[in-house]
Amino acid sequence: MSEAGVPRVGVLDVVAFACEIAMLVLLAGAGWSLANSTVVQVVLATLLPVAAAVLWGVTMAPKSSRRLHNPARLFAQTALFAVTGVLVAVAGHPWWGLVFAVVATATFAARSRTPE
């Protein structure tokens, strides 16, 4: 904590937050690209990021009463990043999926080694 009781935000925290937002955006884009019907595109583009956000909020968010402890939390985060990467790859952007999964996993693995 800093002097005024406000938690310090480091570079890894900023990159981690960017990865969380990128995951939601990539899931919406993948959901849209995975279907041919506009109705299904809208449903998938909405459902995938909402499902990820709910899962994240319940089991991984810092203020969650059901937050997983490491290493289980890191495993769950890595699984979610891998699923996102696979869906993005299947949607036609394999390099985006791979880069996202590697960067997000590496970022959260590095963060898990720092004290909370």
Side-chain angles (χ1 to χ4, degrees):
M1 292 254 188
S2 66
E3 295 172 20
V6 177
R8 297 183 79 143
V9 177
V11 173
L12 276 178
D13 298 317
V14 173
V15 174
F17 182 69
C19 289
E20 293 172 30
I21 299 301
M23 176 179 62
L24 299 175
V25 171
L26 288 169
L27 284 170
W32 186 267
S33 297
L34 288 172
N36 293 326
S37 162
T38 303
V39 172
V40 177
Q41 287 175 317
V42 170
V43 168
L44 287 176
T46 304
L47 190 64
L48 290 175
V50 167
V54 168
L55 179 63
W56 193 278
V58 170
T59 62
M60 295 172 244
K63 299 206 183 228
S64 172
S65 61
R66 295 188 220 164
R67 186 177 197 206
L68 297 172
H69 297 286
N70 276 325
R73 185 173 65 242
L74 180 59
F75 177 78
Q77 289 166 335
T78 301
L80 193 53
F81 298 145
V83 167
T84 300
V86 167
L87 288 173
V88 170
V90 169
H93 304 286
W95 287 108
W96 281 107
L98 178 63
V99 168
F100 168 76
V102 169
V103 169
T105 298
T107 299
F108 280 82
R111 278 187 80 226
S112 73
R113 299 178 57 85
T114 60
E116 295 185 24

